[in-house]
Amino acid sequence: MPKGYWVSVYRTISDQEKLAAYDKLARLAVKAGGGRVLVRGGRVAAHDAGIAERTIVIEFDSFEQAAATRESAAYQEALAALGDAVERDFRIVEGIG
């Protein structure tokens, strides 16, 4: 079964405190949903129209598990804490079987 991935690229971060509150809650939601953080920040080499900003990649056992975790009450609480503190590109993608 193909795995599912959350991929987030942060275009701007305007409130570090809200982001820190989100991070604490999101980590708990991701762990509860069975997610594993593969990339969290670190060095980025952006090419073409890419953005050399904070990038997060989280792996789940399936696309469905990744989508369900995004919709979970725990992750919705994390999103509420984040509010308008960031502008980011967030997507859920399916891996190759």
Side-chain angles (χ1 to χ4, degrees):
M1 172 180 283
K3 295 188 180 197
Y5 297 88
W6 285 7
V7 180
S8 297
V9 177
Y10 288 71
R11 292 185 174 108
T12 63
I13 299 171
S14 59
D15 189 325
Q16 291 289 341
E17 289 181 17
K18 285 183 179 179
L19 180 59
Y22 162 82
D23 279 345
K24 288 179 184 178
L25 294 170
R27 285 180 199 210
L28 296 173
V30 166
K31 184 176 181 180
R36 296 167 297 283
V37 177
L38 300 180
V39 176
R40 184 173 185 270
R43 295 180 354 168
V44 176
H47 300 278
D48 302 325
I51 301 169
E53 295 294 340
R54 177 182 167 135
T55 303
I56 311 294
V57 178
I58 299 173
E59 179 182 67
F60 293 85
D61 289 337
S62 69
F63 182 89
E64 291 75 18
Q65 186 179 5
T69 301
R70 171 69 169 75
E71 298 305 318
S72 71
Y75 189 71
Q76 294 306 305
E77 181 182 356
L79 285 176
L82 182 62
D84 62 355
V86 302
E87 178 187 354
R88 68 180 180 162
D89 177 353
F90 179 96
R91 58 190 68 203
I92 300 172
V93 298
E94 185 174 64
I96 297 172

